[in-house]
């Protein structure tokens, strides 16, 4: 299976998936690089709980990337952000380019 959007993955971020939360704070998986497209633009989005929040950055990445909400993403700018929400774009039988969109703090 080829990635029709591979030419657009011009940025690399480091992602740390949220693995748990407790009395000592949040815990994260080991950092992993992710090829993607980073769009630093402020947008109003809905969080998993349904509240409206401001997203400062949107990341477009290959389908199959899986990050729980509140996972940490280290951006090319050096800023660390948290995942607010994830949207999966799956065209199924239409055979259009599949990808995910991550809204970040």
């Amino acid at each position: 299976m080829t990635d029709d959007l591979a030419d657009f993955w011009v940025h690399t971020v480091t992602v740390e998936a949220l693995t748990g939360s407790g009395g000592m704070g949040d815990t994260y998986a080991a950092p992993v690089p992710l090829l993607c497209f980073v769009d630093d633009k402020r947008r109003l989005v809905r969080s998993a709980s349904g509240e409206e929040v401001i997203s400062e950055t949107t990341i477009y990445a290959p389908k199959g990337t899986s990050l729980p909400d509140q996972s940490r993403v280290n951006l090319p700018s050096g800023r660390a952000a948290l995942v607010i929400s994830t949207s999966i774009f799956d065209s199924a039988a239409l055979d259009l380019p599949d990808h995910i969109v991550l809204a970040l703090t």
Side-chain angles (χ1 to χ4, degrees), residues 14-59:
T14 304
V15 297
E16 300 171 63
L18 179 70
T19 57
S21 296
M24 299 297 286
D26 295 335
T27 56
Y28 298 92
V32 176
L34 173 65
L35 287 173
C36 61
F37 182 82
V38 177
D39 184 14
D40 282 321
K41 181 178 179 184
R42 186 173 287 166
R43 293 181 172 88
L44 184 63
V45 299
R46 291 203 182 268
S47 68
S49 64
E51 65 184 314
E52 291 183 340
V53 295
I54 300 295
S55 169
E56 297 289 340
T57 302
T58 303
I59 291 182

Side-chain angles (χ1 to χ4, degrees), residues 1-9 35-36 59-65 87-101:
M1 179 171 160
T2 62
D3 184 355
D4 294 332
L5 297 174
D7 291 342
F8 294 95
W9 310 141
L35 287 173
C36 61
I59 291 182
Y60 301 87
K63 184 181 169 202
T65 304
S87 301
I88 300 171
F89 291 84
D90 184 347
S91 66
L94 293 176
D95 197 31
L96 298 171
D98 298 331
H99 63 286
I100 66 156
V101 177

